Amino acid sequence: MLKIENLTVEVAGKILLRDINLEVGKGHTNVLFGPNGAGKSALMRTIMGFSGYKVVSGRILFKGEDITELSVDERARKGIGIMMQRPPDMAGVRLRELVRAASGEKMDPEVLARALDMGRFLDRDVNVGFSGGEIKRSELLQLAAQGPDFYLLDEPESGVDLVSIEQVGTMIRGMLCAGIECAGERYEKGKSALIITHTGQVLDYVQADKGYILCNGMVMCSGNPLELLSEIKKRGYEECVRCKLKR
Amino acid sequence: MQTEEVNLKELAEKALRKSAQYGEDFELEKFEVPKAAEPIKDLSKLDEESRKTLLRVGVVPDEKGRVGSLVMMDNTISHTSLRDENLELMSTQKALEKHEWLKDYSWKLVPVDTDKYTAKSYLENADGYFVRALPGKKAAFPIQTCLMLGSKKVSQTVHNIVIVEEGAELDIITGCTTKKGVEEGLHLGISEMYVKKGATLNFTMIHNWDKKIGVRPRTVIRVEEGGTFISNYICLKPVRSVQSYPTVRLEGKGAVTRLSTIAIAHTGSELDLGSRAIFNAPGTRAELISRTITTGGKIIARGEMIGNAKGAKGHLECRGLVLSETGSQRAIPILEANVDDIELTHEAAVGKIARDQVEYLMARGLSEDEAVGMIVRGFLDVGIRGIPEELRGEIEDTITKTALGM
């Protein structure tokens, strides 16, 4: 689904990501771990094509096509959707209007919102005065309307209270695998995702296939996500850097 | 002639060459006094073009959803109709004949010698609309009035008086526009509005002029104890120059006002739009909001709040978007506190649309144009959330077209 080859990215004249190689197969859910400032969000924003993230070398392939030079909306229309960690306040733009537009005017925001228990948010200005949990649910509602093939989820559990984590986690699982429990079937029929997580809480809700550890803008390691997570919890990210240097 | 009238006449004559404090200085001599216009019996029988012109400024020709209508063509009141006995609607001149007491309201809020535009309007004995809501009465629907420039190169002079008596509630929709083909002209409009104890006036004004029209409204509103004055001003189409600075005087305890302005300055347009609230009584409140966009024209957004009484509270908000290389936006907020225990605040911001907002919407699959359109609509929408629902369609349509440079 997504393949990143030797990607180096510059932001404001400074190299932020260096020689990244990463892959997410069809129906797979891969996870990105890393300390603050490692470049995880920068990688997602580069995949989405946001301005300010300049690809110096390497390329991004999506469904086999090189999308490195495509605009944000072209990428979205090809099937990439992002859940941002800190989306901008959109004063005057009502969630109802955005949800309708995101679905290509095809879906009734009312019906979608009811399914996600978001009805009372529809007439509010997007993100204005939203709590942490409300932002996540609003992002997911927009994604549900958009219906992408590939999800970029930037810290879905950050700033969310425990009750909401359950809600957000369940919503994400629903979107990615729509009730499919078997991994084999998921690879055929499910959606793909790349998820940034600090705490790993979201892994209680989704089946992750592969994990990557990003430090200082470089991929340190990859492997079984749950094993990586327990290593990180035990020894911290410093160990990852040391380990990489040894290799 | 009574002494007072003589004095006013003298003052006005002296002020005939007095330039206004702000805005382009129009030479009054260059515009003719219009001839009398034909009466219009039935608005719904007007030709299609004229009906469309009315509709674009919120004036409904079949009068559905309105309790009364008044149309002023150039300087002639050409149509008046009313279907509510709790209201009065007629020409200002007729009202002055009918009500002896009305002289105590006429030219009592707007000084005749404010500038040459008020002076000319006074000396020409300008006509306009008189609307009065009787004490304690509430009209089921708004009254609509239309001020139309019907002839080329003339100056229209207007004098409106609105009185909302104690405890009454009234909605007025006023559309100001030009007849098709009338490209050049001058509109001078005096408005004096009285909102009495516990009364509410909801006033919506839509301007839809033409590229070479100069517009000089002079408006003062007096709000008594517990009264509410709400104003929505909308100016989205090209015009040569509008300069206005309506002033709300909050004279009674707990009086409240909210003035919202949304405007777009096209290339060649100069919009100098202000609003002023004067807090002269304890516990008075005001909110002044302006949302302006330039696509090449010049905008000056002024706002002023003068606090003269304790417990006054006001907020002023000017936001301006610049959508082209050539336009300009200037926000001038003024706050003045003359006693303690006053809370006046302001927020002003001018600039381009934030890139992260545009890309956020693009990431949901909207094209760049669609994203900009949605943001601009939302930006202006904040300023017109109080306007009657049926006016929204046309307004939102104009906003979208402007945002996309259509």
Side-chain angles (χ1 to χ4, degrees):
Chain A
M1 183 63 60
L2 178 85
K3 195 171 184 203
I4 292 174
E5 294 178 348
N6 309 104
L7 191 73
T8 295
V9 175
E10 198 181 271
V11 175
K14 205 177 138 202
I15 301 280
L16 227 65
L17 298 169
R18 203 182 292 273
D19 202 25
I20 304 277
N21 286 286
L22 182 150
E23 204 169 335
V24 183
K26 181 165 168 29
H28 284 62
T29 296
N30 291 0
V31 186
L32 209 50
F33 299 108
N36 285 328
K40 304 184 299 295
S41 293
L43 178 59
M44 279 202 176
R45 299 174 75 89
T46 307
I47 296 171
M48 198 66 239
F50 287 137
S51 55
Y53 297 82
K54 189 179 161 199
V55 174
V56 181
S57 60
R59 55 184 197 155
I60 305 166
L61 298 167
F62 184 66
K63 295 178 181 170
E65 184 191 347
D66 186 344
I67 60 161
T68 319
E69 300 299 325
L70 293 190
S71 66
V72 177
D73 56 323
E74 284 169 325
R75 296 179 201 215
R77 283 196 292 271
K78 290 205 178 289
I80 303 180
I82 188 166
M83 172 194 209
M84 306 220 332
Q85 201 191 343
R86 286 187 204 89
D89 278 5
M90 304 293 294
V93 176
R94 292 177 209 233
L95 187 56
R96 179 187 303 280
E97 193 186 358
L98 179 50
V99 167
R100 193 182 294 126
S103 77
E105 312 289 327
K106 285 190 197 88
M107 283 190 228
D108 182 356
E110 210 65 63
V111 175
L112 270 177
R114 214 176 300 136
L116 299 172
D117 188 24
M118 288 286 290
R120 65 206 153 91
F121 293 94
L122 284 178
D123 287 313
R124 285 180 57 183
D125 291 357
V126 180
N127 303 327
V128 179
F130 281 18
S131 72
E134 287 165 359
I135 284 185
K136 304 299 173 196
R137 288 162 65 198
S138 146
E139 291 285 291
L140 288 174
L141 176 62
Q142 294 169 43
L143 282 175
Q146 196 178 346
D149 300 323
F150 179 69
Y151 289 79
L152 292 164
L153 308 175
D154 192 350
E155 292 202 31
E157 71 270 71
S158 73
V160 180
D161 61 61
L162 282 174
V163 181
S164 300
I165 284 184
E166 163 98 40
Q167 219 170 7
V168 167
T170 312
M171 278 162 81
I172 292 175
R173 183 173 57 203
M175 281 178 182
L176 296 185
C177 42
I180 305 167
E181 295 294 336
C182 154
E185 195 185 348
R186 180 159 57 86
Y187 297 156
E188 264 178 43
K189 296 180 186 162
K191 305 285 186 184
S192 317
L194 182 62
I195 305 179
I196 295 177
T197 176
H198 248 309
T199 61
Q201 275 168 304
V202 68
L203 301 183
D204 295 343
Y205 301 92
V206 297
Q207 292 181 36
D209 299 291
K210 189 175 181 182
Y212 290 86
I213 296 177
L214 201 66
C215 293
N216 304 325
M218 288 182 286
V219 174
M220 296 289 134
C221 193
S222 62
N224 181 297
L226 293 174
E227 284 173 18
L228 289 180
L229 184 64
S230 85
E231 275 302 298
I232 296 162
K233 279 183 177 165
K234 255 186 267 167
R235 309 200 211 181
Y237 289 112
E238 297 82 4
E239 183 55 33
C240 300
V241 179
R242 239 171 291 161
C243 167
K244 168 96 176 172
L245 286 176
K246 266 191 267 170
R247 278 185 280 140
Chain B
M1 248 187 188
Q2 291 179 346
T3 352
E4 197 191 359
E5 273 182 53
V6 176
N7 288 344
L8 283 183
K9 192 163 177 265
E10 259 176 41
L11 283 174
E13 277 166 352
K14 276 187 198 155
L16 259 180
R17 302 210 156 271
K18 181 179 171 186
S19 297
Q21 193 179 358
Y22 304 118
E24 179 186 349
D25 193 34
F26 286 98
E27 286 178 50
L28 297 175
E29 299 75 23
K30 288 196 173 164
F31 299 89
E32 288 167 31
V33 174
K35 296 185 190 83
E38 293 289 313
I40 307 166
K41 268 206 172 142
D42 187 346
L43 295 182
S44 62
K45 301 249 162 69
L46 283 168
D47 60 275
E48 203 186 331
E49 192 61 50
S50 304
R51 277 186 283 140
K52 270 191 191 155
T53 305
L54 292 181
L55 263 176
R56 275 186 215 114
V57 289
V59 176
V60 188
D62 67 8
E63 302 189 72
K64 218 183 237 169
R66 304 285 189 267
V67 289
S69 310
L70 180 145
V71 175
M72 182 169 178
M73 182 74 79
D74 292 332
N75 285 353
T76 311
I77 305 295
S78 51
H79 174 90
T80 314
S81 57
L82 181 67
R83 289 170 305 281
D84 189 334
E85 59 207 20
N86 297 318
L87 301 172
E88 283 190 74
L89 172 67
M90 64 189 84
S91 82
T92 303
Q93 293 306 332
K94 265 193 194 147
L96 282 164
E97 280 168 29
K98 186 179 172 189
H99 299 301
E100 168 69 17
W101 50 262
L102 191 57
K103 64 178 187 338
D104 297 331
Y105 292 80
S106 177
W107 293 103
K108 289 295 184 283
L109 293 180
V110 177
V112 296
D113 59 348
T114 305
D115 51 38
K116 59 186 181 186
Y117 310 120
T118 57
K120 182 179 166 71
S121 303
Y122 177 80
L123 292 171
E124 279 188 8
N125 213 9
D127 209 348
Y129 56 80
F130 167 75
V131 187
R132 180 172 174 234
L134 299 182
K137 303 294 183 187
K138 183 182 189 304
F141 295 107
I143 274 194
Q144 59 182 5
T145 63
C146 177
L147 307 172
M148 195 186 290
L149 259 173
S151 317
K152 232 176 178 174
K153 289 214 82 171
V154 300
S155 63
Q156 178 182 43
T157 48
V158 181
H159 182 202
N160 308 315
I161 301 175
V162 176
I163 302 172
V164 188
E165 299 284 2
E166 279 193 22
E169 281 180 41
L170 177 66
D171 288 8
I172 298 178
I173 295 168
T174 290
C176 299
T177 187
T178 46
K179 204 171 168 180
K180 203 181 175 193
V182 180
E183 291 140 2
E184 199 173 354
L186 195 58
H187 165 90
L188 313 175
I190 314 302
S191 296
E192 301 181 285
M193 303 188 193
Y194 297 83
V195 180
K196 299 220 180 150
K197 201 171 164 184
T200 298
L201 174 59
N202 198 327
F203 186 79
T204 299
M205 182 157 72
I206 301 176
H207 275 184
N208 189 0
W209 301 104
D210 213 321
K211 283 176 190 151
K212 289 185 191 162
I213 310 285
V215 183
R216 294 293 179 265
R218 297 291 179 256
T219 306
V220 178
I221 303 101
R222 185 180 194 282
V223 189
E224 292 181 8
E225 185 179 334
T228 302
F229 174 71
I230 294 166
S231 155
N232 290 288
Y233 171 61
I234 296 145
C235 180
L236 305 176
K237 302 280 174 68
V239 59
R240 173 161 159 185
S241 162
V242 181
Q243 186 272 312
S244 71
Y245 211 149
T247 298
V248 183
R249 286 168 34 189
L250 300 166
E251 301 287 357
K253 201 175 155 189
V256 174
T257 190
R258 182 179 195 265
L259 283 83
S260 304
T261 298
I262 67 165
I264 300 175
H266 301 258
T267 303
S269 294
E270 186 177 320
L271 306 178
D272 187 329
L273 307 173
S275 42
R276 185 186 286 120
I278 307 177
F279 305 81
N280 283 339
T284 45
R285 303 260 185 281
E287 194 178 6
L288 311 179
I289 295 172
S290 126
R291 290 278 193 278
T292 54
I293 290 177
T294 170
T295 59
K298 187 175 166 187
I299 290 185
I300 303 173
R302 300 177 196 273
E304 186 173 2
M305 296 198 292
I306 304 169
N308 297 326
K310 293 197 180 220
K313 209 171 167 182
H315 182 64
L316 171 59
E317 195 180 301
C318 309
R319 287 179 188 270
L321 276 184
V322 182
L323 295 186
S324 89
E325 298 273 312
T326 52
S328 87
Q329 284 269 11
R330 180 188 289 180
I332 309 177
I334 301 170
L335 305 181
E336 182 180 322
N338 297 315
V339 289
D340 64 358
D341 188 21
I342 266 185
E343 195 184 320
L344 303 178
T345 54
H346 88 75
E347 243 183 287
V350 295
K352 61 177 183 179
I353 297 180
R355 189 67 204 163
D356 66 334
Q357 290 192 338
V358 177
E359 289 185 349
Y360 180 59
L361 299 182
M362 288 170 74
R364 298 287 177 244
L366 279 74
S367 69
E368 185 159 0
D369 280 353
E370 288 166 344
V372 167
M374 191 179 275
I375 292 165
V376 166
R377 265 199 316 278
F379 172 81
L380 294 180
D381 186 54
V382 172
I384 52 162
R385 288 201 169 159
I387 71 152
E389 203 56 44
E390 74 268 21
L391 302 183
R392 279 181 176 274
E394 163 75 15
I395 290 168
E396 291 192 343
D397 195 39
T398 306
I399 293 170
T400 309
K401 283 182 185 153
T402 304
L404 303 182
M406 285 155 73

